[in-house]
Amino acid sequence: MTPAGTESNPLRVAIIGSGPSGFYAAEHLQKQKGLSVEIDMFDRLPTPFGLVRGGVAPDHQKIKSVTKVYDRIASKSSFNFFGNVSFGKDLSYADLHQHYHAVIYAVGAQTDRNLGIPGEELPGSHAATEFVAWYNGHPDFRKRKFDLTQESVAIIGVGNVAMDVARILARSRAELEATDIADYALEALANSSVKNIYVLGRRGPAQAAFTTPEIKELGEMEEADIIIDPADLELDPLSQEYLASGHADQKDVRNVEIMREYAQRPPSGKPKRIYLRFLVSPVELSGEARVESIRVVKNELYRMESGDLRPRPTQEYEDIPAGLVFRSVGYRGVKLPDVPFYEKWGIIPNKAGRVLTDHEDGQIVRGNYVVGWIKRGPSGVIGTNKPDAVETVECLLEDVRSGAVLEPTAPQPESIPAMLSKRGVRFVSYEDWRTLDRLEIERGLAIGRPRLKFSSVSEMLAALEGTRTTDPTAD
Ligand code: NAP
């Protein structure tokens, strides 16, 4: 058999997941001169783009235009998309090994991290990731209910997801209508009673995870004032030392400057208020039948041996009223059937993208690779996934050259659609997605919005069949 990657034996690669990291992996494979490659990308949803569709905030339409790059990658003849195909259900680990030289897992981090405090499971306490998926029209979350009759909401964490959630809760109807937010979420949010939004950081303003454009945006809301107690910006000596040190992250320096300006602003009387609080950790959520308040402990910072400033609790407590709580403390990866998983970090164990049997001292699992959040954990912005994917694909290419990839027994491209059809899987091609995309934009245009999303799989499939679903709530 000639080596993989030649005309007579094209390199067959399966990519599981169609978010940014999967597309950047495909792009780097396509860029290789003289390499004959066939890429099949699978997603459990009929729609591609992962968190660009289901995670990026709807009021960040510009960021979503990155999908134009993915469209170009998908338009190459070396690329096939199989949407509505679930790994582990419609397609197994063993199937992939039978059909491909290499498999790249690009499944992201599909769940949230826990706080591990009493009351976390009370009704009214939600993972921010679920709220985000709900307002973005993710089919698995469209039926979630969030009690927006509450006046006070707490968001735990000060990362960019917390910023997104605070903004979306505070947006006016007109602001939301200019976005592609799910129609049911638009109605619910436009009619919400939310007035007070507490965003709670466990460390100080100089350690906030959010980036500068996000904190700037929070100060420019049509219907919400941002409120920061000037006392919260009197920095402790360790933070002062850090900011003055010359090696401080410029983002931290700018963030503090901007927040100092906010702290001086008198509230202008807008109907909603976003209270940004620092050095507080939640210790308990309490309430009779549902969450009514959140108990926080005041923290102080200390320096670890690594130089990192971490929070530790004092004896001072405070109760903050909140009928709705969003825990925004990070995403977490989910184990895939038959694929190694490192529980502690919620990732697939790997070395530079080559999957390992175990996190430490694991053996390389031949032909298996990983990119994106399921490789490195839930950090970075969309662009971070590009060098990340390149690193992995370079390992894959090295393995192709040394013959260390899989030897599929059924490498014929047509065997995949044949196998899926035989199993009764109604897979969705990239052409189908283009149709859905066009329909969504047309539906939006008709009501003066950039896009009106389909949010149920049955609705999407029915639209593709050219018929209307009789029961859009069927899934
Ligand atoms: P993140 O940036 O890691 O922020 C998590 C936040 O939760 C931090 O403030 C963290 O505080 C806090 N936290 C963690 N454990 C906690 C606990 N037990 N109690 C209280 N607070 C706790 O995560 P994310 O906001 O989910 O965002 C994920 C990634 O997506 C990030 O890289 C983010 O930049 C990116 N993202 C980007 C955009 C954008 O570019 N606009 C939008 C959304 C998301 P510590 O810092 O003290 O750990």
Side-chain angles (χ1 to χ4, degrees), residues 104-362:
I104 302 177
Y105 301 100
V107 294
Q110 294 170 42
T111 188
D112 60 292
R113 287 183 49 222
N114 289 333
L115 284 170
I117 59 169
E120 192 169 0
E121 301 309 329
L122 274 175
S125 158
H126 307 273
T129 54
E130 295 181 359
F131 185 57
V132 168
W134 171 78
Y135 64 60
N136 275 319
H138 190 298
D140 293 356
F141 296 89
R142 63 194 292 268
K143 290 207 177 144
R144 291 298 159 98
K145 295 275 177 266
F146 301 94
D147 182 4
L148 297 166
T149 64
Q150 299 297 326
E151 287 202 356
S152 294
V153 179
I155 302 169
I156 301 165
V158 285
N160 280 337
V161 170
M163 295 292 105
D164 288 349
V165 169
R167 267 196 338 275
I168 294 300
L169 284 168
R171 288 275 185 219
S172 65
R173 177 184 279 275
E175 285 175 316
L176 292 173
E177 276 172 351
T179 76
D180 68 352
I181 195 165
D183 49 355
Y184 54 80
L186 168 59
E187 277 316 306
L189 287 159
N191 294 314
S192 101
S193 309
V194 171
K195 285 197 171 61
N196 305 309
I197 301 163
Y198 298 92
V199 187
L200 310 176
R202 65 175 168 180
R203 294 190 287 162
Q207 293 80 34
F210 50 67
T211 42
T212 306
E214 277 61 33
I215 185 64
K216 271 191 177 159
E217 219 178 343
L218 214 57
E220 296 159 0
M221 304 288 295
E222 200 170 274
E223 284 199 335
D225 281 319
I226 184 161
I227 297 177
I228 309 180
D229 183 348
D232 259 6
L233 287 163
E234 281 165 22
L235 300 184
D236 60 289
L238 291 173
S239 296
Q240 285 179 29
E241 194 187 311
Y242 163 68
L243 288 182
S245 65
H247 58 74
D249 188 332
Q250 280 313 294
K251 159 212 134 214
D252 295 334
V253 176
R254 278 295 289 140
N255 281 356
V256 170
E257 280 170 10
I258 291 167
M259 288 189 274
R260 286 214 161 108
E261 190 258 302
Y262 291 165
Q264 300 309 318
R265 276 190 198 172
S268 70
K270 291 179 183 171
K272 295 175 188 168
R273 284 166 298 274
I274 301 170
Y275 296 92
L276 208 44
R277 299 280 312 269
F278 291 100
L279 288 169
V280 284
S281 277
V283 289
E284 184 171 1
L285 305 187
S286 30
E288 286 283 310
R290 54 169 296 114
V291 61
E292 290 167 20
S293 70
I294 171 166
R295 169 155 286 207
V296 296
V297 64
K298 184 102 184 120
N299 291 329
E300 60 186 13
L301 294 178
Y302 71 99
R303 196 184 341 245
M304 298 214 307
E305 254 176 52
S306 64
D308 251 16
L309 300 185
R310 303 302 309 168
R312 72 178 160 217
T314 64
Q315 294 296 317
E316 213 182 303
Y317 294 87
E318 180 187 345
D319 291 311
I320 299 174
L324 196 54
V325 173
F326 294 110
R327 307 177 309 263
S328 184
V329 296
Y331 285 77
R332 196 183 147 74
V334 173
K335 184 179 169 11
L336 294 174
D338 301 321
V339 182
F341 191 66
Y342 183 49
E343 195 61 49
K344 191 169 169 197
W345 293 358
I347 60 162
I348 294 176
N350 71 91
K351 193 168 179 195
R354 284 186 179 99
V355 174
L356 302 177
T357 49
D358 284 308
H359 176 59
E360 269 169 32
D361 309 324

Side-chain angles (χ1 to χ4, degrees), residues 378-392:
S379 68
V381 292
I382 293 171
T384 314
N385 293 298
K386 203 167 179 173
D388 173 293
V390 167
E391 178 189 57
T392 296

